[in-house]
């Protein structure tokens, strides 16, 4: 062995070893470069920039005065390739372990003789992903008796690939390692564009599908039809490439800025992203993808590393965009690129960063992977949309009737695209289905059923190449064989089941009740089965976003479910016994309600932020309504650390400002209770929000939603308390004193002789009361 002073330099040692494989050397170095890029040693863009720079230096050293004229193109390409090889050896030798190089060589040599039995002579944690996959496939192809002996090796390799390809969250890995095979993971990798992980949303969808496929196989011929949409994945590392390629590195520290600055700068960030270009290593595979899908509509969805994790769903925090895909090839590519850039920009939106701060994830290196899927649905004339879409919970978050069993689950269901199921939009309502009692509705009587039904449908207009919203009556068609399962007839004083051709009743008299679906198909059974199985495997409540269609080629119509998303679901604490206080003096009772009450107790409430319902409903200026929502956001920041509640008209978070304040997560995340007051004249009916992204925000922030109908029997509302209490808005936010006519902030102890507000919510009795109470040690 030579003395240390004579040791061969690392890069020379590597070079000498590669020369032993003269034909395979290009392939070996290509794999080495992939490892450099995947492991973050250097980005692909920076590497190629250095290749060009050093190649130009060699031209000058060789005496070329005018390389563009003096050196032919083929010689320049050969010069660049030799420079690329030298740099590959250098970066690899001094940044990655030699065992990794040996693994690459072994993997490539073994590809020449696939039948050769290869024993595990490498560490999968250090080996290149191609080698791990190749070895894993060999083990999975062994006869059953031999495979059993190698099962521990297979599981180790599955875990390594899961952490490389999907996520390194241990909660996910614990479950996924039992369901995915090496063959599965290889197929997923083949649909990945670029390097990095495919993110939480894509990973959760794939895991749910694997679990449910196994259920279907075990159930035999009459198993539920569970389908996975055609999907592709842009790896999380491509966000680095995109930012580096477009000099967007200013965005790295955005998350550490004050929320006001984040909100102010976000429009300019979106603009900068939209003006950027996709790097070549992303755009070329995307062009191939578009050529493959043709004119089929696509949706671009966020799939960040943190999304859909245990306890942090990020529901609705990042953006998704539909691409109808009906233009020319270049128009379709431009639309797809814009959707990707907008999705990347949404990683820096104020709601997402406020959410990360609250969940103590602000320091995490959050990277945005992207999930691209074909839109599920059928073409009906000029329109494309699914028959059914919605979100399903394995645990019913609220019981509007004591008969309802939580453990049987809950579905929020719409006709058309699922956007109306997961967002609070317009004067519109989905169908709420308690799977234990599917015919038991929150609404009572024809009047309420009519008010709380779906009136509009979201769909893709293929002729105009846009996502649009239409009144449901204009979309009803005699050609839609699913319609009899979806609608009932509005007879004025009552709603009647359908007994004839629905359109003979007149489109304007049809209501979307989904009664036929719930009574005549296996929808309820399928949803209960899949939710219970997923909860069992996750050992945690889950919620699932889905689309579905009705198959009518058998005696009993059946549903086919398309799994779009599955995530562990945080839920309110239940089981704690809540005792409603008795004999509260009328003067101490601030309000009470008896509809859609959750289970909970909030004590020592110091502030009430009250938006005057009547004055808000009379406002005609949308700019003023929007500014009132921003004032709420500023109060939310000002009162951070205090116990306070928000009370306001209609539906908090609605996209329609006429129905309630258009607030986002960052505007409300510090409150404890969100009271939705029914507006006069029946406008802005408080929505049963559970199942929406907005509801998920409330649950994860431990905020109780509480609807209040002041004019209904059995409720109380101490109007004098609100009108006579002084308004402390100006001392808290001097710059917003001008809005005191619409927003009142009540400091409870100062108007109640040192007492605070307490809200007691008893779900079993369906009652809640807010009253003034004196606490020991609090004045």
């Amino acid at each position: 062995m030579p003395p240390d002073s004579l040791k061969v330099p690392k890069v020379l040692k590597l070079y000498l070893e590669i020369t032993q494989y003269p034909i395979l050397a290009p392939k070996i170095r290509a794999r080495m470069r992939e490892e450099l890029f995947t492991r973050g040693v250097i980005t692909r863009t920076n590497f190629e920039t250095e290749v060009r720079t050093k190649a130009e230096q060699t031209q000058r050293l060789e005496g070329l005065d005018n390389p563009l004229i003096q050196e032919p193109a083929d010689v320049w390409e050969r010069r660049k390739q030799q420079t690329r090889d030298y740099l590959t050896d250098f970066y690899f030798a001094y940044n990655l372990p030699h065992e990794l190089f040996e693994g690459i060589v072994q993997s490539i040599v073994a590809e020449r003789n696939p039948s050769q039995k290869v024993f595990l002579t490498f560490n999968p944690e250090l080996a290149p992903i191609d080698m791990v996959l190749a070895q894993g496939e060999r083990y999975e192809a062994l006869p059953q008796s031999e495979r059993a002996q190698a099962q521990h090796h297979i599981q180790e390799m599955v875990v390594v690939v899961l952490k490389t390809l999907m996520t390194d969250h241990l909660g996910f890995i614990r479950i996924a390692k039992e369901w995915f095979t090496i063959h599965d993971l290889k197929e997923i990798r083949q649909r990945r564009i670029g390097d990095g992980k495919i993110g939480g949303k894509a990973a959760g969808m794939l895991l749910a599908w694997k679990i449910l496929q196994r259920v279907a196989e075990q159930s035999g011929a009459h198993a539920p039809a569970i389908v996975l949409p055609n999907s592709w994945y842009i790896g999380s590392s491509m966000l680095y490439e995109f930012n580096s390629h477009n000099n967007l590195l200013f965005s790295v520290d955005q998350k550490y800025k004050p929320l006001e600055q984040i909100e102010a700068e976000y429009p300019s960030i979106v603009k900068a992203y939209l003006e950027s270009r996709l790097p070549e290593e992303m755009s070329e595979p995307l062009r191939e993808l578009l050529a493959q899908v043709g004119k089929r509509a696509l949706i671009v969805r966020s799939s960040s590393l943190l999304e859909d994790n245990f306890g942090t769903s990020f529901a609705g925090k990042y953006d998704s965009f539909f691409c109808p895909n009906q233009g020319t090839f270049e128009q379709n590519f431009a639309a797809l690129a814009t959707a990707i850039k907008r999705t990347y920009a949404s990683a820096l939106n104020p709601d997402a960063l406020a959410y990360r701060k609250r969940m103590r994830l602000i320091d995490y290196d959050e990277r945005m992977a992207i999930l691209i899927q074909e839109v599920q649905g059928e073409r009906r004339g000029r329109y494309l949309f699914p028959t059914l879409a919605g979100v399903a919970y394995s645990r019913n978050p609220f019981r509007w009737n004591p008969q309802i069993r939580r453990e049987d689950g809950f579905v929020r269901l719409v006709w058309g695209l699922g956007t109306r199921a997961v967002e609070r939009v317009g004067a519109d309502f989905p169908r709420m289905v308690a799977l234990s009692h599917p015919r038991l509705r929150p609404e009572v009587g024809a009047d309420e059923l009519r008010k709380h039904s779906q009136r509009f449908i979201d769909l893709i207009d293929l002729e105009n190449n846009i996502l649009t919203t239409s009144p449901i009556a204009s979309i009803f068609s005699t050609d839609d064989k699913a319609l009899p399962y979806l609608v009932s007839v509005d007879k004025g004083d009552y709603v009647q089941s359908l007994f004839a051709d629905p359109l003979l009743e007149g489109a304007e008299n049809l209501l979307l009740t989904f009664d036929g679906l719930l009574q005549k198909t296996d929808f309820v059974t399928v949803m209960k089965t899949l939710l219970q199985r997923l909860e069992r495997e996750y050992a945690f409540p889950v919620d699932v976003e889905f689309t579905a269609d009705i198959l009518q080629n058998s005696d009993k119509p059946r549903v086919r479910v398309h799994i779009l998303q599955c995530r562990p679901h945080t839920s309110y604490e239940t089981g704690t016994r809540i005792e409603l206080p008795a004999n509260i003096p009328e003067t101490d009772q601030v309000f009470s309600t008896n509809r859609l009450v959750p289970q909970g107790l909030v004590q020592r409430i110091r502030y009430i932020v009250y938006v005057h319902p009547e004055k808000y409903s009379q406002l005609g200026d949308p700019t003023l309504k929007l500014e009132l929502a921003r004032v709420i956001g500023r109060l939310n920041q000002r009162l951070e650390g205090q116990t306070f509640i928000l009370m306001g008209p209609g539906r908090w978070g609605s996209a329609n400002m006429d129905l309630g304040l258009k607030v986002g997560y960052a505007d409300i995340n510090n409150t404890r209770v969100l009271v939705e007051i029914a507006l006069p004249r029946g406008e802005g009916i408080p929505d049963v929000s559970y199942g929406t992204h907005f509801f998920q925000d409330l649950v994860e922030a431990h905020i109780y939603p509480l609807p209040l109908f002041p004019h209904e029997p059995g409720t109380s509302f101490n109007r004098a308390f609100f009108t006579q209490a002084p308004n402390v808005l100006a001392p808290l936010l001097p710059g917003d004193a001008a809005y005191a006519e619409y927003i009142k902030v009540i400091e409870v102890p100062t108007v109640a002789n040192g007492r605070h507000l307490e809200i007691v919510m008893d779900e079993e009795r369906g009652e809640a009361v807010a009253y003034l109470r004196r606490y020991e040690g609090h004045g």
Side-chain angles (χ1 to χ4, degrees), residues 661-713:
L661 282 94
K662 189 178 180 181
V663 291
Y665 177 83
D667 300 316
I668 63 166
N669 64 342
N670 292 318
T671 191
R672 292 300 315 282
V673 183
L674 198 64
V675 181
E676 302 190 313
I677 306 171
L679 288 168
R681 303 186 306 279
E683 300 166 355
I685 306 164
D687 182 13
V688 186
S689 67
Y690 30 96
T692 63
H693 292 154
F694 187 79
F695 170 73
Q696 187 73 10
D697 283 344
L698 303 185
V699 173
E700 291 186 354
H702 300 287
I703 300 168
Y704 294 96
L706 193 61
L708 176 61
F709 298 80
H711 307 292
E712 287 195 357

Side-chain angles (χ1 to χ4, degrees), residues 708-720:
L708 176 61
F709 298 80
H711 307 292
E712 287 195 357
T715 66
S716 65
F717 183 67
N718 189 343
R719 193 172 296 273

Side-chain angles (χ1 to χ4, degrees), residues 452-505:
H452 291 85
S453 65
Q454 182 183 344
R455 296 178 177 84
F456 296 89
I457 180 173
D458 288 348
L459 37 72
I460 291 175
D461 183 337
L462 297 170
E463 286 188 12
N464 290 317
N465 199 27
I466 57 171
L467 171 70
T468 188
T469 300
S470 294
I472 57 172
S474 67
I475 305 300
F476 288 146
S477 166
T478 53
D479 297 332
D480 192 344
K481 295 180 180 179
L483 200 58
Y485 299 95
L486 310 179
V487 298
S488 298
V489 185
D490 184 358
K491 293 291 187 179
D493 294 335
Y494 63 96
V495 175
Q496 178 182 286
S497 297
L498 197 66
F499 297 111
D501 183 335
L503 293 185
L504 292 177
E505 302 285 353

